[in-house]
Amino acid sequence: MLDPSPEDDGTSPTVSTPHFVGRDREMAALRGALARPPAIVLVEGEAGIGKSRLLREWLAAPDQRTALVSVCPPLRESLTLGPIVDAFRGIDRPLSRLRLTELAGALRPLFPEWSTDLPPALQPLDDAKAARHRLFRALEELLRALRVDVLVLEDAHWADEVTLEFLLFVTSRQQSHGPSLVISYRPEEVDDGSLLLRLTSRLPAGVTQSLHGKFRRGGSDHFCRVCGFRPYSRAWWRPRVLRSERG
């Protein structure tokens, strides 16, 4: 939006950011789902529909939370764990003050810039699957040591398979004090065999809330759909929550 500057004659417009309107229900649904962590919030919609703007507005709210944010770039070949590594590089506290176990030594190949603060490197494993599991455990330990409340991943349809595997790993181990996940994606760009579909298919054990929000164009046609249920009509649009208790 262009507005004339108050200090000129009105012929030189200045740029201002449009007000965030028309997404009150989506914002309320997002806030409500994350009010009882851990939660999984899946924001689905086509390009340009307002997913990123919604998340930016939510992140800008003065709530006391620790959030790591990353965007998956549209690369021809996705970088292994690239979005997760980029998210951690946004931390603003000294790593040396964290209580990390020797397991965090597995993070050295991903974060060489932290070499002075991480534990010594671990012995390599011959089993690639075991090595990946150890790396996932180390990343999760770092999440918890940083007391991350929410991990936000935008454009997850461009994420590499290892990143999606890590998200599934995190959700499978979520507890009452674990981080919530907010994931946005374009459904038309998700392959049939993508691991992203597993995040939308069922409620993991231990997750108290799972909300699936689907964006439509036009202020009166927005609705929110919970995993496993039909979309609700406009007449009584209301977000619902699935709950699961640990046995």
Side-chain angles (χ1 to χ4, degrees), residues 18-239:
H19 293 294
F20 185 65
V21 296
R23 296 296 187 187
D24 293 342
R25 288 180 290 182
E26 287 85 352
M27 182 64 75
L30 177 60
R31 289 172 175 166
L34 294 171
R36 293 179 57 193
I40 303 174
V41 179
L42 304 168
V43 184
E44 174 186 301
E46 61 187 83
I49 204 68
K51 303 184 299 296
S52 295
R53 179 68 187 275
L54 176 74
L55 297 180
R56 285 198 302 269
E57 293 292 331
W58 173 74
L59 288 167
D63 298 337
Q64 295 297 320
R65 74 172 76 90
T66 300
L68 295 184
V69 184
S70 185
V71 179
C72 302
L75 302 177
R76 184 182 298 275
E77 294 186 6
S78 301
L79 302 177
T80 301
L81 284 175
I84 304 301
V85 172
D86 289 344
F88 279 113
R89 284 176 174 161
I91 64 174
D92 57 358
R93 68 188 68 177
L95 204 68
S96 58
R97 298 181 182 178
L98 302 180
R99 292 186 177 181
L100 298 174
T101 68
E102 294 180 356
L103 179 63
L107 300 175
R108 282 179 168 268
L110 290 181
F111 303 100
E113 65 271 32
W114 295 348
S115 59
T116 58
D117 297 321
L118 288 171
L122 303 179
Q123 291 294 323
L125 298 176
D126 295 331
D127 187 336
K129 293 181 179 179
R132 181 175 296 183
H133 181 241
R134 185 171 69 178
L135 179 59
F136 285 0
R137 289 173 56 213
L139 286 169
E140 186 196 31
E141 178 179 295
L142 183 56
L143 275 175
R144 295 182 183 275
L146 289 167
R147 297 183 179 181
V148 173
D149 299 310
V150 185
L151 176 60
V152 180
L153 187 67
E154 295 192 54
D155 295 333
H157 49 277
W158 286 322
D160 62 283
E161 288 293 288
V162 182
T163 290
L164 296 178
E165 285 182 356
F166 176 67
L167 296 179
L168 287 168
F169 177 82
V170 171
T171 60
S172 70
R173 295 162 64 94
Q174 278 178 321
Q175 300 173 1
S176 60
H177 60 283
S180 295
L181 299 179
V182 178
I183 302 168
S184 72
Y185 63 97
R186 303 176 191 172
E188 69 274 12
E189 298 200 35
V190 178
D191 296 332
D192 291 340
S194 173
L195 291 176
L196 184 58
L197 297 178
R198 297 189 186 181
L199 285 168
T200 70
S201 62
R202 66 184 181 89
L203 182 69
V207 180
T208 57
Q209 302 183 49
S210 183
L211 183 66
H212 186 173
K214 190 168 184 178
F215 275 44
R216 296 293 192 190
R217 292 192 183 277
S220 62
D221 291 329
H222 306 322
F223 65 87
C224 182
R225 184 178 66 188
V226 180
C227 296
F229 289 84
R230 294 183 298 106
Y232 299 107
S233 67
R234 276 185 315 190
W236 58 286
W237 184 95
R238 181 180 304 164

